[in-house]
Amino acid sequence: MVAQVLEQNPNNHFVAIANAQAQANNTLYAPAIFHRAFGRFTTGTNIINPNNTPVNVSVTYYASDGTVYPTTPFSLETKAVASIYQGGDSGNGLPAGGLVDNFAGSAIISTSGGGVVLVVNESGGITPSGAALSGTYGAAASGSGRVGLPVMANNGFGYVTGATIMNTSGQPVSGNVQYYNTDGSLQGGPQPFNIGAHASQLVYQGDSSLPNPFYGEAIVTQVGGPNNSLIVTTNALSASFFYTYTEPNQ
């Protein structure tokens, strides 16, 4: 059985769609966590305990510069949901991490006593055309050494994308991003990256050497550091639409 969840708030035009996660895990990675980042984007996380017993949960945030923001562990009751809003000091009595303005980083959720599932909502207000800048992605339980990104754009069909690459390991990793045209041909040379322990790095296609317009794909390959450490969340924005996807996921 599979399931998909639609979230909608008519008051602020927020709309997001998420696939239900197949199983709970004791460690989950959220590559894109924001607190008024890029002028307007803030996230909120929903942590669900599907077990028949309470679980203990720890959330730790990591900035791209290596700063760590630990939070106070808490107990999540049977079948309960913890909604943590990164835009404030706390959400429903739970710690949001005291994140600074313009925070764009990652989070690791660890549990004991049972696994959890996690969905992250992103919100950035309303476009001039009245569309909501809102998206949702499910946290991933593990990384990969090679990640394919099927939609990359620099004003392609009106979209611009930004890929947030997370390093799930406790050591620095290096790698590169190689773009491809829709016919499979290479678009430029590989773009290198270096990411600190548990941190994430934004690769914005609007700032890259890609032609304008460009619409194609990319392969992110790890070349140094502990194996299978990469998770990538991609945001795609046009004048009227915004959506999010994460690779690899469950």
Side-chain angles (χ1 to χ4, degrees):
M1 182 177 69
V2 296
Q4 192 173 72
V5 180
L6 170 66
E7 301 178 62
Q8 184 173 10
N9 185 337
N11 294 324
N12 62 9
H13 299 258
F14 180 91
V15 178
I17 298 175
N19 292 327
Q21 291 175 299
Q23 63 183 27
N25 290 276
N26 292 101
T27 303
L28 288 169
Y29 302 95
I33 296 292
F34 303 140
H35 181 184
R36 297 187 188 80
F38 313 113
R40 51 185 169 177
F41 284 94
T42 299
T43 54
T45 56
N46 293 304
I47 306 171
I48 301 97
N49 174 15
N51 303 286
N52 293 321
T53 57
V55 298
N56 296 313
V57 182
S58 295
V59 180
T60 305
Y61 302 103
Y62 299 86
S64 58
D65 63 3
T67 304
V68 180
Y69 295 82
T71 64
T72 303
F74 59 92
S75 178
L76 186 55
E77 296 301 317
T78 302
K79 311 298 184 184
V81 178
S83 296
I84 305 177
Y85 178 56
Q86 280 73 50
D89 294 329
S90 63
N92 292 349
L94 302 174
L99 301 177
V100 298
D101 279 351
N102 301 313
F103 178 89
S106 57
I108 297 179
I109 295 81
S110 302
T111 68
S112 61
V116 295
V117 296
L118 172 67
V119 171
V120 180
N121 289 330
E122 300 178 36
S123 179
I126 307 297
T127 68
S129 65
L133 291 172
S134 56
T136 297
Y137 70 89
S142 61
S144 174
R146 185 177 171 90
V147 181
L149 304 178
V151 177
M152 292 278 99
N154 179 16
N155 201 32
F157 298 101
Y159 280 93
V160 177
T161 55
T164 300
I165 307 170
M166 181 180 182
N167 168 18
T168 64
S169 77
Q171 301 176 39
V173 300
S174 59
N176 58 68
V177 181
Q178 177 63 64
Y179 297 100
Y180 296 84
N181 297 297
T182 54
D183 62 2
S185 61
L186 290 173
Q187 176 57 59
Q191 296 183 353
F193 61 81
N194 294 278
I195 307 175
H198 302 311
S200 61
Q201 178 178 320
L202 174 66
V203 180
Y204 180 56
Q205 281 66 58
D207 286 341
S208 70
S209 59
L210 294 173
N212 184 356
F214 170 81
Y215 189 87
E217 62 178 358
I219 295 179
V220 182
T221 304
Q222 180 182 341
V223 297
N227 293 332
N228 299 322
S229 297
L230 304 180
I231 299 171
V232 186
T233 292
T234 300
N235 290 328
L237 173 66
S238 74
S240 302
F241 296 100
F242 179 87
Y243 67 89
T244 302
Y245 68 91
T246 299
E247 300 289 346
N249 210 332
Q250 298 177 13

